[in-house]
């Protein structure tokens, strides 16, 4: 069981917006602005999409945005495109000895 | 272009050992903390270990302490993970990743991973 809770799947249509939630505790998500999001395609290197809750690395589309409220962080993808279909994982710094914890991942399907 | 390429994965029996390698290029390897992150089949990601730029500080997830050793060779731009006393639950794709932030809390570049299967 992962430390952070994400929905197992989310579905959207091209052009729509979707939001993936990531729920933790005050020891991780709620306690620090150190949430990041990763995009995973099978057999490929994971890609950093968002860091420090809402910062986008250079080269990441501005269709991807992040936010946080209390113990829940969110990744929003606007203007969905077919190539956005992938697995998305959130992570957070944690005050425990684990240092970094991840969510269980969300499979995004673009119909 | 930053590149991280893992190697060394394979099938190993329980109790056995394996050494993973990660070849880095496209950045000043000696200037960054580096990590190993794994993903068991059908499971989420799990941070395994990280190592400071000069190799003098190392941290591990509790489940691998005493069995895994992370190391690096800055002259060869390479990161390693020595895995001993392997268990079935260590079966996973192991990713090499560059660590960022302070405290360290995200990974800005990853390799494609190498699969480790622990089975008799």
């Amino acid at each position: 069981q992962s430390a952070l809770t994400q929905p197992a799947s989310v579905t959207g249509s091209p052009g729509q917006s979707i939001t993936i939630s990531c729920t933790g505790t005050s020891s991780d998500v709620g306690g620090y602005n150190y949430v990041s999001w990763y995009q995973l395609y099978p057999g490929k290197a994971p890609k950093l999409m968002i860091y420090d809750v809402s910062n986008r690395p250079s080269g990441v589309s501005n269709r991807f945005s992040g936010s946080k409220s209390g113990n829940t962080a969110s990744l929003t993808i606007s203007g969905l495109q077919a190539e956005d279909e992938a697995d998305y994982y959130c992570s957070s710094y944690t005050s425990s000895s684990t240092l970094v914890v991840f969510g269980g991942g969300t499979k995004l399907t673009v119909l | 272009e930053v590149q991280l390429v893992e190697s060394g994965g394979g099938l190993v029996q329980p109790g056995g050992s394996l050494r993973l390698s990660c070849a880095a290029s496209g950045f000043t390897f000696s200037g960054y903390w580096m990590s190993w992150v794994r993903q068991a089949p059908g499971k989420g990601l799990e941070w395994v270990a990280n190592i400071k730029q000069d190799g003098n500080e190392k941290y591990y997830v509790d489940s691998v302490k005493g069995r895994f050793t992370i190391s690096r060779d800055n002259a060869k731009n390479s990161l390693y993970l020595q895995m001993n006393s392997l268990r079935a639950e260590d079966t996973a794709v192991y990713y090499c990743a560059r660590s960022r932030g302070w405290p360290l809390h995200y990974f800005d570049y990853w390799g494609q991973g190498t699969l480790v299967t622990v089975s008799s």
Side-chain angles (χ1 to χ4, degrees):
Chain A
Q1 186 170 347
S2 299
L4 306 180
T5 301
Q6 298 181 234
S9 63
V10 169
T11 301
S13 299
Q16 284 187 333
S17 293
I18 63 94
T19 296
I20 299 172
S21 62
C22 170
T23 302
T25 69
S26 58
S27 296
D28 38 65
V29 174
Y32 310 92
N33 288 323
Y34 294 148
V35 175
S36 54
W37 290 90
Y38 303 90
Q39 179 188 61
L40 273 73
Y41 293 110
K44 297 208 167 185
K47 180 181 180 181
L48 174 69
M49 305 304 286
I50 297 286
Y51 67 97
D52 293 352
V53 177
S54 60
N55 292 316
R56 266 188 318 274
S58 174
V60 172
S61 170
N62 59 10
R63 298 186 298 106
F64 292 82
S65 62
S67 61
K68 191 187 84 167
S69 178
N71 294 338
T72 298
S74 299
L75 173 71
T76 298
I77 309 174
S78 59
L80 268 181
Q81 299 178 0
E83 60 259 34
D84 298 332
E85 187 165 292
D87 294 330
Y88 292 86
Y89 287 82
C90 64
S91 78
S92 173
Y93 174 77
T94 172
S95 57
S96 77
S97 60
T98 308
L99 300 183
V100 173
V101 288
F102 288 91
T106 297
K107 181 176 181 57
L108 170 62
T109 300
V110 181
L111 295 176
Chain B
E1 179 192 5
V2 172
Q3 282 200 323
L4 297 169
V5 180
E6 302 92 339
S7 60
L11 175 63
V12 61
Q13 292 188 338
S17 298
L18 212 54
R19 188 195 196 207
L20 306 184
S21 299
C22 170
S25 61
F27 67 104
T28 304
F29 180 73
S30 60
Y32 293 86
W33 281 76
M34 296 295 296
S35 292
W36 289 98
V37 179
R38 67 184 178 184
Q39 183 175 29
K43 304 289 186 181
L45 296 166
E46 179 184 42
W47 168 78
V48 175
N50 61 19
I51 184 169
K52 191 178 178 180
Q53 291 92 328
D54 60 6
N56 287 337
E57 285 186 47
K58 307 173 185 181
Y59 299 94
Y60 301 91
V61 68
D62 286 347
S63 59
V64 308
K65 283 180 182 176
R67 301 188 299 122
F68 290 13
T69 302
I70 189 172
S71 62
R72 64 192 297 162
D73 185 336
N74 288 339
K76 294 183 178 180
N77 290 335
S78 293
L79 177 72
Y80 306 102
L81 186 67
Q82 177 67 43
M83 304 185 294
N84 298 330
S85 303
L86 282 161
R87 306 168 181 167
E89 55 264 36
D90 295 318
T91 294
V93 174
Y94 285 74
Y95 297 100
C96 164
R98 192 171 81 172
S99 299
R100 300 302 305 277
W102 193 258
L104 299 169
H105 61 275
Y106 70 97
F107 311 95
D108 63 348
Y109 288 97
W110 301 59
Q112 290 190 316
T114 186
L115 176 62
V116 172
T117 303
V118 184
S119 174
S120 54

